Amino acid sequence: MAARFLPTLAALALLGSPAVAQEPGQRDTLAIGITQFPSTFHPNIDAMAAKSYVLGFARRPVTAYGVDWQLTCLSLRDAADAGERPGGAGDDAGGQARPPRHLQAARRCALGDGTPVSAEDLRFAWEAGRNPETGFGPAEFYRSAYELIVEDARTITLRFDKVTFDFASLGDFQPLPAHVERARWTQEPRTYRQRTAYDTETANPVLWSGPYRVTAVQPGAGVTLERNPAWQGTVPAFRRIQVRTVENTAALEAQLLAGQVDMIAGELGLPVEQAAALERRTAGRFKVEYKPGLIYEHLDLRLDNPILADVRVRQALLLAIDRAQIVARLFEGRQTVAHGSVNPLDPMHDPAVPQWNFDPARAAALLEQAGWARGPDGIRRNAAGERLQIELMTTAGNRAREAVQQVLQGMWRQAGVEARIRNEPPRVFFAETLSKRKSQGAALFAWISAPESVPRSNLHSEEIPTEARNWSGQNYPGYRNPEMDALLEAIPQELDRDKRRVLWSRLQAIYAADLPALPLWFRADAHVWPQWLENVRPTGHLNPTSLWVEEWRVK
């Protein structure tokens, strides 16, 4: 009988960097503008960039990818070499996993009320995530992490059911205060997301373990954070941070110019062309950095819509979009046209992926083959006389996306496709319409990923959100392809990088053929800071600058 190797993340303990007392700068408060408001403050419910950015000030995940795109430890230390990199499966010549390393505490992590973060907090997070009724994501992590052993009050051992090249990355798995949240969850896991203290008592200090803690929330408008007295790391420069939500980017720019906000976070800020125009007009008043990154702007398609279920229609829709012209005219050429979901900056990108470049004649031919003939008003109809009509949604107030919608509407009309625009505030669009699969046509938004991030959560058929799973999963289109499922399961388990690259190439080829979503471009973010603020370092991936706020300094 063959033995099954069970990789173990052993003796995972809670810690951080040693305390360093520093004098804060002369400025007491930093006001930051962003364009979205979190739909929830719970770390494991609903993936939304606004939540990640705000929680970056107030919590610390166990692991994250740094500015150098390397995996680093934020809440633990490797006892083998007292370094900052977590142990994990290696790409050695034999394709075998290196033995996991012992992770040992360097200092105590504490919640905002001084309560030490404990192994029970990690156990609770794991138990809640293992129960599909809770609706935590990503579901595959909790399924694969089949056993959690509490070694002592500060140490756990996690055991996984398979060897994966990235198993040292714990993603969104992080401690939750069991003494506050467990009773709420145990009462009824399915409705826990409506009763969590993160949304009913957001200013409760016990919820926060980062350099700052949330002290006030103005729903839809802003979040106030103040220094966390229980934080034992480097003292952050500002006593208070105010994160203000202004969904309209023109209004956000006006607040910056009026001094109502000091900076605009690139993760959720001004479109690059708006920031470039601002930079030209203000002539050195602000520092502006344009950071290309793993930010995939695209159109999710509702694949169980009979119109969009036909791959010929999806192909025609993409062929009818002149993406190069949009990038040149709307974004001053600062975005990179996407031909798939894997960014050229990612080491697994395949430059030979098939491309659907602008070709109106080919788009027309495909629509004709699919049974859509032009009507007297130019809009195509099928044999039953139904119009080729598609709902087109995005986040209301985002000037760049709304401009893109107008261009898409015009280009599709040239192809005989009628696009009906309907937009919603970001917190509704992401938490309700997308998460619960209420979009009926095309949804314009961006996925933000980590380096070599396997897109299981948004491409595997098991990740289609359903009410039975409490809407966990991010396969909003409802995409199903058995070969794609098999690749998504095989890629993480292939430890040899060259062999893994072959699998990645096949994944990209299938994506280009099936078009479960329409690739548009890979976004660059525009970070706008005051001249007196230093050491804010954009990452270019899903981990936001706020995770390193203790490094920010005033000149």
Side-chain angles (χ1 to χ4, degrees):
M1 180 176 179
R4 184 175 59 167
F5 181 80
L6 305 176
T8 303
L9 192 59
L12 188 155
L14 303 157
L15 54 115
S17 56
V20 178
Q22 295 187 16
E23 288 293 326
Q26 296 299 311
R27 297 176 185 270
D28 188 62
T29 300
L30 178 69
I32 304 172
I34 62 174
T35 56
Q36 297 176 14
F37 189 83
S39 59
T40 176
F41 289 91
H42 194 290
N44 302 101
I45 297 173
D46 289 347
M48 190 175 178
K51 182 187 74 173
S52 297
Y53 186 77
V54 172
L55 265 55
F57 296 110
R59 291 183 62 85
R60 284 292 176 270
V62 178
T63 63
Y65 287 89
V67 177
D68 59 0
W69 290 27
Q70 298 299 308
L71 190 64
T72 188
C73 301
L74 297 184
S75 301
L76 52 83
R77 189 172 297 276
D78 191 332
D81 58 9
E84 296 179 347
R85 305 295 183 196
D91 292 325
D92 61 6
Q96 298 297 315
R98 291 195 303 269
R101 298 175 183 175
H102 186 78
L103 304 172
Q104 176 179 304
R107 72 163 175 84
R108 298 176 66 84
C109 285
L111 300 170
D113 65 348
T115 304
V117 177
S118 73
E120 287 301 320
D121 298 325
L122 285 164
R123 190 216 294 268
F124 165 62
W126 175 77
E127 289 178 357
R130 290 276 293 176
N131 187 331
E133 290 188 344
T134 313
F136 279 9
E140 175 60 14
F141 172 86
Y142 294 102
R143 191 207 62 76
S144 181
Y146 73 95
E147 185 177 18
L148 183 147
I149 302 169
V150 173
E151 306 289 355
D152 57 45
R154 302 289 299 163
T155 309
I156 68 164
T157 294
L158 266 180
R159 288 182 176 165
F160 297 86
D161 66 356
K162 64 175 73 72
V163 182
T164 62
F165 76 91
D166 61 348
F167 89 91
S169 171
L170 296 186
D172 290 330
F173 179 61
Q174 51 188 298
L176 299 173
H179 62 297
V180 173
E181 292 287 88
R182 181 180 286 281
R184 296 168 185 254
W185 175 73
T186 304
Q187 180 182 344
E188 188 179 4
R190 178 167 291 280
T191 61
Y192 165 66
R193 60 167 55 205
Q194 283 85 49
R195 294 178 291 101
T196 171
Y198 284 98
D199 293 326
T200 61
E201 302 175 18
T202 310
N204 187 337
V206 77
L207 302 175
W208 312 114
S209 57
Y212 289 88
R213 58 185 178 91
V214 176
T215 57
V217 174
Q218 186 176 358
V223 179
T224 300
L225 305 106
E226 296 187 2
R227 283 197 196 116
N228 183 354
W231 172 252
Q232 299 176 40
T234 301
V235 177
F238 302 96
R239 183 175 66 85
R240 178 186 294 114
I241 288 180
Q242 294 177 333
V243 182
R244 298 176 181 172
T245 297
V246 184
E247 293 178 347
N248 183 286
T249 55
L252 179 58
E253 180 182 335
Q255 289 203 15
L256 177 73
L257 293 172
Q260 294 173 292
V261 297
D262 298 309
M263 61 174 275
I264 296 177
E267 292 88 344
L268 293 150
L270 302 180
V272 291
E273 79 287 353
Q274 187 177 348
L278 171 70
E279 185 179 20
R280 288 191 293 269
R281 291 198 315 273
T282 56
R285 177 177 170 186
F286 303 102
K287 291 189 288 188
V288 182
E289 180 173 334
Y290 304 92
K291 180 69 174 181
L294 304 180
I295 309 166
Y296 173 48
E297 198 81 16
H298 67 287
L299 290 162
D300 257 15
L301 303 176
R302 179 65 180 256
L303 299 184
D304 36 16
N305 177 331
I307 294 174
L308 297 171
D310 191 330
V311 68
R312 294 170 297 184
V313 173
R314 303 199 296 272
Q315 292 167 349
L317 289 173
L318 188 54
L319 287 165
I321 303 173
D322 191 345
R323 291 167 290 168
Q325 183 185 89
I326 294 174
V327 166
R329 294 191 175 183
L330 292 187
F331 302 113
E332 301 187 357
R334 295 176 186 267
Q335 318 285 34
T336 300
V337 172
H339 299 290
S341 62
V342 181
N343 195 305
L345 297 172
D346 193 286
M348 291 299 157
H349 174 257
D350 184 357
V353 65
Q355 299 182 6
W356 298 90
N357 294 310
F358 181 55
D359 191 336
R362 190 178 174 196
L366 282 168
L367 291 173
E368 292 285 345
Q369 292 172 22
W372 296 97
R374 281 193 184 272
D377 60 353
I379 299 302
R380 295 179 181 273
R381 292 167 170 80
N382 61 15
E386 298 168 326
R387 296 168 68 85
L388 182 47
Q389 185 180 101
I390 296 172
E391 180 183 72
L392 178 57
M393 298 187 68
T394 194
T395 50
N398 186 306
R399 192 165 76 178
R401 285 183 177 150
E402 290 174 343
V404 169
Q405 280 183 309
Q406 297 295 325
V407 176
L408 292 178
Q409 187 179 50
M411 289 180 172
W412 280 351
R413 186 170 186 85
Q414 291 295 314
V417 180
E418 183 177 31
R420 293 291 184 92
I421 293 175
R422 183 173 73 86
N423 296 335
E424 294 177 334
R427 60 190 181 278
V428 177
F429 179 71
F430 290 112
E432 289 291 326
T433 302
L434 282 180
S435 294
K436 296 183 179 179
R437 303 196 65 228
K438 295 179 181 179
S439 171
Q440 298 302 309
L444 172 61
F445 67 102
W447 284 123
I448 308 174
S449 63
E452 198 177 347
S453 177
V454 180
R456 179 190 172 95
S457 65
N458 58 308
L459 289 178
H460 199 288
S461 62
E462 292 181 356
E463 299 293 336
I464 299 171
T466 63
E467 187 174 5
R469 290 183 52 188
N470 211 359
W471 306 109
S472 69
Q474 296 173 317
N475 185 347
Y476 305 139
Y479 176 59
R480 294 176 174 86
N481 182 314
E483 186 181 0
M484 179 66 82
D485 286 353
L487 284 167
L488 292 168
E489 292 165 9
I491 289 174
Q493 297 181 69
E494 179 52 70
L495 306 185
D496 184 280
R497 182 177 288 258
D498 291 334
K499 293 179 181 178
R500 199 160 67 241
R501 192 182 304 280
V502 174
L503 300 178
W504 270 105
S505 293
R506 180 58 186 154
L507 180 149
Q508 292 168 76
I510 295 174
Y511 191 98
D514 288 356
L515 292 179
L518 303 186
L520 296 177
W521 39 81
F522 294 108
R523 208 173 73 203
D525 282 341
H527 298 259
V528 184
W529 309 308
Q531 292 289 350
W532 46 261
L533 184 62
E534 295 183 318
N535 217 28
V536 184
R537 298 185 297 161
T539 66
H541 54 68
L542 62 79
N543 293 129
T545 54
S546 53
L547 279 175
W548 293 272
V549 64
E550 63 269 34
E551 299 176 1
W552 299 7
R553 285 291 172 261
V554 177
K555 277 187 180 180

